[in-house]
Amino acid sequence: MCDRDGLFYRNFSRRTLLRSGASAVATLALPAHLAGLLTPTAAAAANVTLKATHGSGFCNMGMFLAKERNLTKADGVDLEFVVTPSNTEITTMFGAGLVDISMIPYSNFMTLYDAGAPVKIVAGGGVEGCIIVGKEGLKTAADLKGKTFGTFQADTLEVLPYDYLKKAGLSFKDVEIKYLDTSPELAQAFLVGAIDAICHIEPYASQCVIGRKGASVLSDGTDVYGKGYSDCVLAVRTPLIEKNPAAVKAVIKALFVAQSQAETDKTAALKDTVGKYYKTSMEAAIDASSKQPIVVDQRNQTKFIIERGQSMKELGYVKKSPDQGAFDWSLLEAVIAENKTLYDGLKLKSA
């Protein structure tokens, strides 16, 4: 557990990120333990290999299913996951151009876009599922005053509690913020009583409610943002969009297929991901997954994401809110036009 900047924020902290330009992002020197993860691999004979990073919540399930079920292969693309030791390093590697695509919280994307990195949001990942959990006796925002609060830096899991407290007339000055590195670490810190409250994603949030006697949900985000708010998005390096838009479309299409499959047979989707990607029981996963569904078409969340830029500014991570230039929905729209039956069959979407 730490309350100081993690690896990424030693290079791009709220103190230094504002002074970093695109060149700083592109020339980031990685630690040896990360560089070792990037050993070249031979691509399939006729396929393009795209390196990708991902998170650990249910908002990443579309990516996990695309990988496990080889949903991009038919369109000539192989997905290669680069596993990172901590959440902050996902942003580091994507910002440095060492991976092509990333399923990433919209807030982490903002830090890169604000620093001038050539990245775009091209599709959605998952919605909702950011949960504030408090220990026994904590029921309202006012109850958090003077308490320790665990989260990740520059994450949607930091933006929600910031907005939650602000709505109640409070601020981060009223709590003691503790920044941690990984999803299991954050959950464990709460479960063993080292932290009074946390903001976490599913399935970890539900684990925390069940695993600590008297714990309860203070907010699921809908009381602050309304239904269907964005959590994570699919972001792509702009050079890849320009050089190989077909490869990006293949990934977006695979995410649509994954969403359809998960909506049709959630149990099968969980069997392919629980254990390998989600360290939880099947029973807990079934309950948690309903709270953070896959939604690939998040065009209706553009305004919401832009508006969250104000909170990111107040937190000191960005100089300005993202603009429409942060988004490129054109490839998603092309995939929809080319796969109308698939799109029309989805339960959750913008249109």
Side-chain angles (χ1 to χ4, degrees), residues 108-126:
N108 296 96
F109 169 87
M110 283 186 199
T111 64
L112 296 175
Y113 184 75
D114 187 69
V119 292
K120 299 278 188 181
I121 293 173
V122 299

Side-chain angles (χ1 to χ4, degrees), residues 11-336:
N11 297 287
F12 297 104
S13 70
R14 64 178 67 185
R15 295 179 294 279
T16 62
L17 180 62
L18 303 185
R19 297 193 298 271
S20 301
S23 59
V25 176
T27 60
L28 174 65
L30 288 186
H33 73 280
L34 278 187
L37 296 173
L38 294 168
T39 52
T41 57
N47 281 18
V48 173
T49 297
L50 298 183
K51 291 182 180 292
T53 52
H54 60 77
S56 56
F58 273 117
C59 59
N60 292 267
M61 180 176 278
M63 283 288 279
F64 297 154
L65 291 175
K67 171 67 172 176
E68 289 303 300
R69 296 176 175 179
N70 296 315
L71 300 181
T72 59
K73 281 187 177 291
D75 290 308
V77 172
D78 288 320
L79 274 180
E80 180 181 323
F81 283 167
V82 178
V83 180
T84 55
S86 73
N87 287 18
T88 53
E89 287 161 327
I90 294 172
T91 312
T92 301
M93 298 188 76
F94 183 51
L98 297 173
V99 295
D100 306 294
I101 60 178
S102 183
M103 188 63 75
I104 190 171
Y106 65 76
S107 52
N108 296 96
F109 169 87
M110 283 186 199
T111 64
L112 296 175
Y113 184 75
D114 187 69
V119 292
K120 299 278 188 181
I121 293 173
V122 299
V127 300
E128 300 185 14
C130 297
I131 315 290
I132 298 176
V133 181
K135 69 175 185 178
E136 181 181 5
L138 302 183
K139 301 295 183 182
T140 67
D143 295 333
L144 292 173
K145 292 188 69 173
K147 302 298 190 295
T148 53
F149 195 106
T151 186
F152 301 132
Q153 201 167 20
D155 199 282
T156 54
L157 299 180
E158 184 178 12
V159 178
L160 173 58
Y162 179 82
D163 290 341
Y164 172 74
L165 290 170
K166 185 177 180 180
K167 183 178 179 182
L170 301 169
S171 74
F172 272 8
K173 293 180 180 179
D174 295 301
V175 297
E176 183 182 351
I177 296 294
K178 300 287 186 179
Y179 293 113
L180 290 95
D181 290 327
T182 70
S183 292
E185 181 187 19
L186 179 58
Q188 188 64 18
F190 179 78
L191 289 170
V192 301
I195 291 177
D196 299 318
I198 61 170
C199 188
H200 218 329
I201 47 174
E202 294 294 0
Y204 302 98
S206 290
Q207 283 182 338
C208 289
V209 174
I210 296 170
R212 184 168 175 177
K213 185 178 180 180
S216 62
V217 172
L218 278 67
S219 171
D220 66 359
T222 61
D223 54 321
V224 180
Y225 301 141
K227 290 285 187 181
Y229 66 87
S230 178
D231 174 32
C232 62
V233 293
L234 181 70
V236 178
R237 302 278 303 178
T238 303
L240 176 62
I241 297 175
E242 296 170 346
K243 180 181 178 181
N244 198 342
V248 179
K249 287 173 61 180
V251 176
I252 296 172
K253 178 184 173 183
L255 292 179
F256 274 129
V257 173
Q259 180 181 336
S260 176
Q261 292 178 346
E263 290 179 346
T264 301
D265 192 342
K266 181 184 293 186
T267 300
L270 291 173
K271 284 181 179 179
D272 283 349
T273 53
V274 171
K276 182 170 186 177
Y277 297 107
Y278 302 120
K279 308 304 180 183
T280 187
S281 68
M282 181 62 68
E283 181 181 10
I286 290 172
D287 174 64
S289 64
S290 64
K291 302 169 185 174
Q292 195 169 35
I294 304 169
V295 181
V296 181
D297 178 12
Q298 289 190 24
R299 290 174 293 175
N300 62 357
Q301 292 301 298
T302 303
K303 182 173 182 288
F304 168 81
I305 293 173
I306 290 175
E307 289 176 345
R308 298 285 70 71
Q310 180 59 36
S311 297
M312 289 290 285
K313 283 174 59 180
E314 293 171 6
L315 283 165
Y317 290 118
V318 300
K319 290 183 290 186
K320 60 182 180 180
S321 297
D323 52 24
Q324 292 287 342
F327 304 84
D328 184 349
W329 299 120
S330 63
L331 298 179
L332 179 140
E333 290 168 347
V335 172
I336 291 172

